[in-house]
Amino acid sequence: FPRFIKAALSFKFDEKKEPRINAQLGFNSLTIEAFTEVGLVRPARDAVAQDNLLVASSEELKEYGFERFSAFAAVDSVIYVPLCCQNRPIALFALPFCGSQEESTRVSRALKKVAEIVSKTLYRVVMYEQEFKANRTDPLTGLSNRKYLGDLMKEVFEVISEAPESKCVSFLLVEGDNFIALNNKYGRQYGDDMIREFSQAVRKTVRLRDPVVTGGYGDHMIRYGAAQFLLVMEDIDAEKGLVIAERVRKTIEKKEDWPGGLPAWSTSIGVSTYPDDGTTGEAMMLSSETALSFLKEHKEQNKIIHCGQIPRAYKSKKQGATMGGTLEVFEPGALLQSLYNAQKSGILEVGRPDGLKLWAFIENGKPVKARLGKFGGDAALVEFLTLFEEGSFTFKEHGDLGKDDLEDMARMGEGFDVKRSLERDMLDGALARDHMHAARIAVPRLNLFASRVCDAEGKEKLDSLKSLPDPPSAEELSCMSEIWRLASGSTTLQDIFQKMDTTPTHRIWRCAALMLEHQLLKLSSIRLYAVS
């Protein structure tokens, strides 16, 4: 109804169920600021409390304080559209409306139907956001964890790439001295209390800046290890980084009220700064870890050191041709991108805790050959980008490859060749990962027994999927046919997935979710047996 809508606001509810504006159309900045003072909370709460559309007339708008806004001078009413699901307020739209009461009623009826559909979709999005956030939050300290670090590195270095000559970022790797010994001596509960207290002390000392307040740059604190915390500080050069590190060191040194009556504790801090100590997140982390390792090897506690202060001989020893790390720090796409940016040549191996392993030969930053399970080439890379959320990696540069490495590479035939660009594989991997996340929400569990609908009805429904607005591809239809064939009622969905191990995993998940959605597949905790 564009001719009726003059302006619109979207409110999102925070953890305290307070409405906050997150999108707007047709208002200037001064009006938006004024909305935070009056005319926002009360009508939003009224609409959500009723879980129904709220139509405020021009007279009622004055009671809400809207007479202050010139944008509402010619408005006959405002329609508030609450979006709720499972008795939970998710969002709310406010639509200033010009027109008769009859037109307002007609528009309201249509908006109510839209709200019912949108609420269910937004509810799934909110659930996914919460799950995603929880997966990247350390439960002990409430700080972000190492999985979040990969996302953060991407954001930070994207901003840097826009004007690298005028940007600086410092990494401070802060570690409580002798924590393992303290934890072993006094027990795990005591160690957890120490970590919580330590993280709070560091956080209060640094006074993390919010990127929204500062206008683009800020500070981030991540729990990196047991008693290790990483501070990523944007717009902080090496000199300022050392000043902050020294302030943190003194705070921990002077603190006396540690759990269990421990009289004193100390911290050691390794600092690195972009661009002198690295131009990628991986290189910066390696520099900070190297600085901290230097202090440990020389038994220097309660000290701070910048990577630039370490003797070059030590740095070359620590930063050899073979490097490694974990996917908790660098997610798969960021790892491949960092090798591409550095124009590295060599062999990359990434192992997941369950034994699944990627092997890839990299030439000038681009994967040339790849292998992952029964997949080779581009399919192996997409599978890697889709499935790997944790694990460890090692990279050997070309000059340090052994005889076994070269022979292994020589044995790989054309089926392992990566023929597409890295950008294309990463785009396909991102799409596949999105499909996987959506499918995991739709598919409750894999240990349920899968059964198909009757043969005649199933074939008709499979054919009908071709007429959908976004129909399945030929590969997806073939995959669904195979799932449907294997779903005998006595086989779990997990068994079916394993039997289809030459089909890309994301495709199996997506097809299973589509089949459940269109009632081609039924899941049950009860095994069905065929009776002859």
Side-chain angles (χ1 to χ4, degrees):
F1 304 92
R3 59 184 176 176
F4 298 131
I5 296 175
K6 301 296 182 183
L9 293 170
S10 171
F11 308 137
K12 185 174 182 180
F13 290 87
D14 59 20
E15 295 176 353
K16 298 180 180 178
K17 296 187 178 180
E18 293 290 337
R20 297 285 184 269
I21 297 173
N22 67 335
Q24 63 88 17
L25 173 69
F27 294 104
N28 59 37
S29 59
L30 293 176
T31 303
I32 294 299
E33 289 177 10
F35 262 113
T36 62
E37 300 174 11
V38 298
L40 172 59
V41 175
R42 203 174 125 209
R45 281 179 174 167
D46 290 347
V48 171
Q50 299 174 27
D51 192 11
N52 203 347
L53 266 65
L54 172 67
V55 181
S57 66
S58 56
E59 289 301 315
E60 290 171 318
L61 290 177
K62 293 179 182 179
E63 297 178 14
Y64 287 133
F66 280 86
E67 71 275 5
R68 290 182 49 183
F69 308 122
S70 59
F72 288 90
V75 168
D76 297 312
S77 61
V78 173
I79 304 174
Y80 286 90
V81 187
L83 302 178
C84 304
C85 192
Q86 304 289 334
N87 296 319
R88 173 178 179 170
I90 302 170
L92 181 138
F93 296 121
L95 306 174
F97 182 80
C98 296
S100 65
Q101 185 175 353
E102 182 180 347
E103 290 174 322
S104 173
T105 302
R106 182 168 60 86
V107 172
S108 297
R109 282 199 301 266
L111 288 175
K112 190 170 184 179
K113 293 179 181 178
V114 172
E116 291 175 359
I117 299 171
V118 174
S119 295
K120 294 176 182 178
T121 303
L122 282 180
Y123 182 73
R124 289 197 294 268
V125 172
V126 169
M127 290 297 99
Y128 170 72
E129 284 181 345
Q130 289 184 347
E131 181 184 349
F132 185 84
K133 183 178 180 181
N135 198 34
R136 281 157 174 73
T137 301
D138 172 48
L140 181 63
T141 62
L143 296 169
S144 299
N145 62 16
R146 291 174 69 165
K147 286 188 177 180
Y148 168 76
L149 184 57
D151 302 330
L152 176 62
M153 291 299 95
K154 185 177 180 181
E155 294 176 10
V156 169
F157 284 91
E158 276 182 357
V159 173
I160 288 175
S161 64
E162 296 173 1
E165 68 284 348
S166 61
K167 300 289 183 181
C168 56
V169 178
S170 284
F171 282 25
L172 280 66
L173 191 55
V174 184
E175 182 176 68
D177 291 330
N178 293 325
F179 172 73
I180 300 300
L182 291 170
N183 190 65
N184 291 339
K185 182 177 181 180
Y186 296 105
R188 182 173 180 178
Q189 183 58 53
Y190 174 83
D192 287 350
D193 293 341
M194 289 285 290
I195 288 172
R196 273 193 292 265
E197 193 73 19
F198 185 85
S199 67
Q200 291 172 9
V202 174
R203 192 170 186 174
K204 288 178 182 178
T205 303
V206 175
R207 297 189 297 274
L208 303 177
R209 298 166 298 168
D210 190 331
V212 176
V213 176
T214 59
Y217 59 83
D219 305 321
H220 313 271
M221 186 172 173
I222 294 107
R223 187 181 178 195
Y224 190 70
Q228 277 190 344
F229 296 87
L230 176 67
L231 291 166
V232 178
M233 314 196 74
E234 301 177 67
D235 201 40
I236 295 294
D237 59 20
E239 184 178 350
K240 291 179 182 177
L242 284 171
V243 170
I244 295 170
E246 178 62 14
R247 192 163 69 234
V248 171
R249 187 198 67 78
K250 286 183 177 179
T251 296
I252 300 301
E253 180 185 48
K254 294 178 180 179
K255 184 176 171 61
E256 297 176 348
D257 54 338
W258 293 103
L262 186 73
W265 200 13
S266 63
T267 182
S268 298
I269 305 172
V271 183
S272 64
T273 306
Y274 172 91
D276 292 341
D277 303 312
T279 56
T280 65
E282 180 187 54
M284 289 283 288
M285 279 308 311
L286 183 59
S287 295
S288 295
E289 289 175 340
T290 300
L292 199 56
S293 296
F294 180 83
L295 292 177
K296 287 181 180 180
E297 288 191 17
H298 289 77
K299 297 182 171 32
E300 296 277 357
Q301 296 185 2
N302 198 18
K303 299 283 186 180
I304 67 169
I305 189 169
H306 194 280
C307 183
Q309 299 171 330
I310 300 173
R312 287 188 177 181
Y314 182 84
K315 288 179 69 176
S316 62
K317 174 185 173 183
K318 295 297 291 185
Q319 299 175 348
T322 301
M323 62 181 184
T326 66
L327 291 184
E328 291 177 336
V329 181
F330 299 100
E331 54 93 18
L335 174 60
L336 293 178
Q337 189 65 53
S338 67
L339 293 174
Y340 179 79
N341 293 340
Q343 294 292 289
K344 293 285 189 180
S345 293
I347 289 179
L348 171 68
E349 291 186 72
V350 189
R352 215 168 60 168
D354 62 0
L356 192 61
K357 191 173 185 178
L358 169 79
W359 184 100
F361 176 64
I362 313 291
E363 195 171 76
N364 295 324
K366 183 186 181 303
V368 176
K369 288 182 178 291
R371 177 184 65 216
L372 193 155
K374 295 186 178 181
F375 299 94
D378 296 288
L381 289 181
V382 173
E383 192 81 352
F384 167 63
L385 292 163
T386 307
L387 299 182
F388 278 61
E389 293 182 350
E390 57 181 335
S392 58
F393 70 88
T394 57
F395 181 78
K396 292 182 182 178
E397 292 201 22
H398 194 277
D400 287 82
L401 296 180
K403 181 180 178 182
D404 292 342
D405 295 319
L406 296 173
E407 288 180 352
D408 194 14
M409 185 175 62
R411 283 194 295 267
M412 288 192 173
E414 187 177 343
F416 297 95
D417 290 348
V418 177
K419 298 178 180 179
R420 301 186 310 197
S421 67
L422 177 60
E423 183 181 20
R424 171 65 187 277
D425 282 335
M426 289 183 66
L427 285 172
D428 285 353
L431 180 61
R433 200 161 186 164
D434 287 344
H435 285 165
M436 278 281 291
H437 283 306
R440 279 174 171 165
I441 295 172
V443 178
R445 299 198 313 273
L446 290 183
N447 61 350
L448 296 174
F449 294 98
S451 59
R452 57 179 177 264
V453 298
C454 64
D455 290 356
E457 185 182 350
K459 291 177 181 177
E460 288 179 6
K461 284 190 174 183
L462 272 174
D463 289 337
S464 69
L465 297 182
K466 298 176 183 178
S467 60
L468 291 174
D470 182 19
S473 64
E475 292 84 0
E476 288 172 338
L477 285 171
S478 175
C479 178
M480 282 189 273
S481 296
E482 183 63 11
I483 294 174
W484 187 70
R485 185 184 70 80
L486 293 170
S488 62
S490 61
T491 305
T492 65
L493 203 56
Q494 186 168 357
D495 291 335
I496 292 174
F497 281 23
Q498 289 175 350
K499 290 177 182 178
M500 300 176 64
D501 58 359
T502 57
T503 303
T505 308
H506 68 89
R507 186 180 299 160
I508 305 176
W509 274 89
R510 175 170 163 77
C511 289
L514 282 170
M515 293 177 76
L516 286 171
E517 180 184 350
H518 294 280
Q519 299 180 342
L520 280 158
L521 200 64
K522 295 179 182 179
L523 298 179
S524 172
S525 58
I526 302 173
R527 182 195 295 266
L528 301 178
Y529 294 92
V531 179
S532 58

